[in-house]
Structures are given as structure tokens and as C-alpha cells.
Amino acid sequence: MENYDDKAYIRAKKRVDDVKGFYIHLVTYIIINFFLFIINLIFTPGTWWFLFPLIFWGIGLIFHFLGIFVFENKLLGKEWEEKKIKKYLEEEKNKK
């Protein structure tokens, strides 16, 4: 491997793992809800109960998407953590 900054590599690796996790979540959502639809269609065609897991799991999937692709590390992420750490270090330094 080339010479990458260790912290940058770790952040990039975590980002790749997060994106991969989202896509696994998305594929799982599609496959399982497809089978729930088929089960619903075969056994209880008059009652569309498969919509409940579809909708509520879909809401969770939307939040997962927003956390990975929209907000990334902006809200309580790495940048926020680093700012807070610097702030607290400055406060400790000023106390002495």
C-alpha cells in the first residue's frame, strides 16, 4: 500500500464501510419486502399487511441514507468531535 496518512486512511476506510453497509441494508430491504409481498399476495390477498414493514423499515432506510450521504459527519461527526476536543484542550490549557 502507498504511504497514506494513517488517520486519513482510517477515516476513508470507515466511510467505505458505512457506504457498503447502506447498500447491504438497501438490498436486504428490497429482497425481504419483495418476499413479504409475495407471501401476502398468496396467503392473505385482501389484507395488505406487507405495507407496514415496507413503510416503517423504509423510514429507517431513509434515515440511514441521510446519515451516510446527506449529513455525513456534519452532525455530531468527526469534525464536531475534533472541534470539541480542541475546545476542551484549550480550556484545560487556560486553567493552568
Side-chain angles (χ1 to χ4, degrees):
M1 184 177 346
E2 297 178 26
N3 290 332
Y4 290 107
D5 181 40
D6 289 338
K7 288 183 181 179
Y9 177 80
I10 291 169
R11 282 194 303 268
K13 174 83 169 95
K14 181 175 180 343
R15 176 79 176 139
V16 167
D17 289 343
D18 290 345
V19 171
K20 181 180 172 184
F22 170 75
Y23 286 121
I24 290 170
H25 188 182
L26 177 63
V27 169
T28 304
Y29 171 80
I30 292 169
I31 291 170
I32 290 178
N33 280 294
F34 173 75
F35 283 110
L36 288 177
F37 170 72
I38 297 300
I39 291 168
N40 190 173
L41 193 60
I42 292 170
F43 293 106
T44 55
T47 306
W48 296 109
W49 56 261
F50 85 96
L51 291 173
F52 292 105
L54 181 81
I55 291 168
F56 290 112
W57 190 354
I59 292 169
L61 188 64
I62 289 169
F63 280 112
H64 193 174
F65 173 83
L66 292 174
I68 298 297
F69 296 107
V70 177
F71 297 115
E72 296 180 37
N73 290 325
K74 293 176 180 77
L75 185 63
L76 300 178
K78 285 292 177 191
E79 292 175 15
W80 177 82
E81 287 178 11
E82 289 176 12
K83 286 179 186 177
K84 284 295 182 182
I85 289 170
K86 288 178 184 176
K87 177 185 171 191
Y88 292 137
L89 287 173
E90 284 295 320
E91 288 176 0
E92 286 296 318
K93 186 191 287 185
N94 291 335
K95 285 182 183 178
K96 295 179 182 181

